[in-house]
Each structure stands twice: as C-alpha cells, then as structure tokens.
C-alpha cells in the first residue's frame, strides 16, 4: 500500500543536507515572473473592462482548482487519489498553465521543501525563514543550490513523454491560451487572462506559502519536524483549500485538506465529484489513514 506520508519522488542519499547551500539568481524564472508582473501592472489598467475581469476570475479559478490544487498537488505529487491517465494528463496540463513551471520542476521543488521541513533544521530558503521582502526575492527570482542535495526519482511522471514535453515548453503553453483569448476578446482578454492571471498565481502562491510557515492558527504539531505549518483562514476559499496548510502537514497524503467546520475545500469537492462520476477512486482522507498518525498530537 502506498505510504500516505511519503515524500514520493525524493531519494535521501547518504550525507544529504538541507542546511548548507547558497541562494543564486534564477534568470529563467526571475525574468518570467518579473515580466508577467510588469505586464499586468503596466497594461492591466489601460485594458481593464468588466468582461476582461471576468476572464481573469474564470481562468485563475480554473487553473488553481483543476491544475495547481488537484492536478499537481493532490494527484501528481501526493497521489491522494487514483484516476485515469488521460484525466491526470489534462489536470497536469492545467497545472502547467498556471505558469509557475513545468511538472518535473514543481515535483522537485515541492518534495525538496517537504523533506527539508521534516528534518530538525533546514536552510531559511526552504523554511520561508527570512523577512518577507528577502523571502519574496528568493522564492520568485532565485534558486537554492545545496552543497549536498538529495536525488530524485520521478518514476512514471519522469518517463511520461507528455510530461517531458510540458516541462520543456511550460512557458509556451500560454500561447494557445493567449491565441484563444485574443480571438474571443482581443488584447484586454490576453492581458487579464494570461499576464494578470500568471502574476497573481505566482505571487499569491509565494505569499500564502510565506504566511503558512510563519503565522496563523494550528490544530496539529508534527513531532520531530523542525518546521511547523499554519493555516491561513482568509485564503481557504481562493486557494481551493490549499491554505489549510497545518492540516496538510499533518495529513500530507490526504485528498481532503479542509478538515474542520468552516474550512472550505473546493479541491476536495471537485475530487468527490470525480469520484461520483466514476473518474476517481481510492480517495484518501485522514479517516482512511488514521492508523499512520501515531507521531502526531493535537496542538493547543
């Protein structure tokens, strides 16, 4: 049976150390993230319209729900449910369309941080342990080069030809979206449906991640982990349930992240809808995996 708590794609090699390393400028992601933000700030006000705003809301919601939350995070990374391969590939394409990077980069980045935060100590890049301005620069424009990094085995995702194509062309995946939006509504739809959407998704992902590792309510403490997570209640709805990050640290393999009354979780709602349609099965929840939580204790 798959271990619901596993860091699925990371291989902890002898001597692997999450502390010693240097943060270096990442020109590809820096220019991409900065360019999208600049385009949104400069062109957004002069192309604004209510239809363009509607396109922004719809495309952002679809990308975050189908792609980032369900496709990338709950399926590809944590394997919290099973589904047909064709459906997984559609969801992963939506995840790539979010505009943060390709599926292989996302897996490595997530699993490195997950592994490091479970250790007694890790580099502040991996813990969001610096001030907000410095952490924003690091996360949005830089990469961490560890002196003794672990290795990765991406398994089927690494061998999948479609995912390798997405990895190599992740920026270019915005072109068909832009072409469709231009055909429907012109440049205003492109600016708001591509540039503004990518900018808010990328920067919002960093911002919620920063808050979720520094402040907010907690229901759980993961014993032995140097970094504990917090919930970000005001962002639960807009992040499709991903902002209940304290719950996620406690139950990383669960398809359900919003666990308590009032904790909205649209990602889990969508997975349940897939299950009802016969397109998802073996949906893992804390109830199913409760026997594996002997190392967790309720927080005050």
């Amino acid at each position: 049976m798959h271990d619901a708590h596993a860091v699925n794609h990371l291989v902890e090699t002898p001597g692997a150390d999450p502390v010693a390393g240097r943060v270096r400028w990442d020109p590809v992601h820096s220019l991409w993230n900065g360019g999208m933000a600049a385009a949104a700030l400069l062109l957004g006000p002069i192309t604004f319209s209510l239809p363009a705003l509607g396109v922004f809301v719809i495309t952002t919601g679809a990308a975050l729900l189908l792609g980032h939350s369900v496709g990338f995070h709950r399926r590809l990374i944590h394997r919290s449910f099973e589904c047909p391969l064709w459906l997984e590939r559609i969801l992963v394409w939506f995840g790539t369309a979010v505009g943060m990077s390709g599926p292989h980069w996302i897996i490595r980045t997530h699993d490195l941080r997950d592994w490091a935060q479970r250790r007694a100590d890790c580099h502040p890049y991996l813990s969001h342990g610096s001030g907000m301005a410095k952490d924003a620069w690091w996360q949005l424009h830089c990469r961490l080069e560890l002196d003794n990094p672990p290795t990765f085995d991406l398994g089927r995702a690494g061998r999948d030809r479609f995912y390798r194509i997405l990895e190599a062309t992740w920026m270019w995946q915005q072109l068909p979206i832009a072409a469709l939006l231009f055909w429907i509504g012109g440049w205003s739809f492109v600016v708001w449906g591509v540039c503004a959407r990518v900018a808010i998704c990328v920067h919002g992902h960093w911002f919620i991640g920063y808050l979720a590792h520094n402040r907010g309510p907690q229901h759980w403490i993961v014993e032995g982990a140097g970094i504990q997570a917090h919930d970000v209640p005001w962002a639960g709805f807009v992040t499709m349930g991903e902002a209940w990050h304290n719950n996620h640290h406690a139950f990383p393999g669960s398809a359900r992240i919003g666990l308590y009354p009032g904790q909205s979780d649209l990602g889990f709602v969508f997975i349940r809808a897939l299950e009802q349609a016969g397109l998802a099965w073996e949906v893992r929840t804390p109830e199913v995996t409760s026997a594996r939580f002997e190392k967790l204790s309720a927080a005050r």
Side-chain angles (χ1 to χ4, degrees), residues 75 79-87 271-272 274-276 278-284:
R75 171 57 197 158
R79 306 175 193 169
S80 64
F81 66 98
E82 299 297 325
C83 68
L85 180 58
W86 64 264
L87 177 58
I271 293 171
R272 280 299 193 206
L274 292 177
E275 186 180 35
Q276 296 272 331
L279 294 174
W281 57 91
E282 295 184 23
V283 178
R284 299 177 181 89

Side-chain angles (χ1 to χ4, degrees), residues 213-242:
H213 292 94
N214 284 281
R215 61 180 68 93
Q218 295 174 304
H219 288 88
W220 300 91
I221 295 296
V222 181
E223 295 180 1
I227 305 300
Q228 303 295 329
H230 304 260
D231 292 332
V232 188
W234 60 266
F237 180 78
V238 297
T239 61
M240 311 301 164
E242 298 291 330

Side-chain angles (χ1 to χ4, degrees), residues 12-65:
E12 188 171 352
T13 52
D17 177 16
V19 179
R22 290 159 301 285
V23 178
R24 299 192 184 279
W25 183 54
D26 180 349
V28 172
H29 287 90
S30 179
L31 295 174
W32 173 260
N33 295 337
M36 284 293 175
L41 292 172
L42 293 174
L43 301 177
I46 62 178
T47 59
F48 176 81
S49 68
L50 288 180
L53 180 62
V55 166
F56 167 77
V57 172
I58 292 170
T59 57
T60 301
L64 291 178
L65 174 61

Side-chain angles (χ1 to χ4, degrees), residues 66-275:
L66 302 178
H68 177 71
S69 180
V70 176
F72 269 176
H73 195 207
R74 306 192 205 203
R75 171 57 197 158
L76 196 62
I77 291 173
H78 286 292
R79 306 175 193 169
S80 64
F81 66 98
E82 299 297 325
C83 68
L85 180 58
W86 64 264
L87 177 58
E88 178 190 285
R89 286 172 171 167
I90 290 174
L91 296 173
V92 169
W93 178 84
F94 272 95
T96 305
V98 170
M100 287 194 291
S101 203
H104 295 165
W105 184 93
I106 292 289
I107 291 172
R108 292 188 185 97
T109 298
H110 176 281
D111 280 11
L112 179 65
R113 194 179 302 273
D114 193 357
W115 165 75
Q117 291 179 1
R118 296 183 189 194
R119 303 285 291 265
D121 191 16
C122 66
H123 194 284
Y125 178 98
L126 296 169
S127 66
H128 294 280
S130 299
M132 183 175 290
K134 184 176 182 179
D135 192 69
W137 170 252
W138 275 4
Q139 306 298 332
L140 296 169
H141 299 278
C142 302
R143 65 178 181 269
L144 174 66
E145 296 180 353
L146 290 174
D147 293 343
N148 296 291
T151 60
F152 293 88
D153 179 1
L154 301 185
R156 178 180 60 80
R159 298 186 297 271
D160 191 295
R161 182 179 180 184
F162 179 64
Y163 295 160
R164 293 206 303 267
I165 292 172
L166 290 182
E167 184 69 20
T169 64
W170 65 271
M171 288 183 284
W172 298 104
Q173 296 302 316
Q174 301 302 327
L175 288 180
I177 301 171
L180 177 61
L181 292 176
F182 182 79
W183 179 69
I184 296 172
W187 285 113
S188 65
F189 278 26
V190 174
V191 171
W192 284 87
V194 175
C195 301
R197 169 181 56 81
V198 170
I200 200 67
C201 287
V202 169
H203 289 76
H205 180 265
W206 159 74
F207 184 57
I208 299 302
Y210 180 83
L211 296 179
H213 292 94
N214 284 281
R215 61 180 68 93
Q218 295 174 304
H219 288 88
W220 300 91
I221 295 296
V222 181
E223 295 180 1
I227 305 300
Q228 303 295 329
H230 304 260
D231 292 332
V232 188
W234 60 266
F237 180 78
V238 297
T239 61
M240 311 301 164
E242 298 291 330
W244 309 115
H245 204 60
N246 178 250
N247 295 341
H248 177 60
H249 269 224
F251 303 96
S254 172
R256 183 182 179 187
I257 301 178
L259 303 181
Y260 302 102
Q263 293 187 342
S264 63
D265 189 351
L266 293 179
F268 185 64
V269 171
F270 180 73
I271 293 171
R272 280 299 193 206
L274 292 177
E275 186 180 35

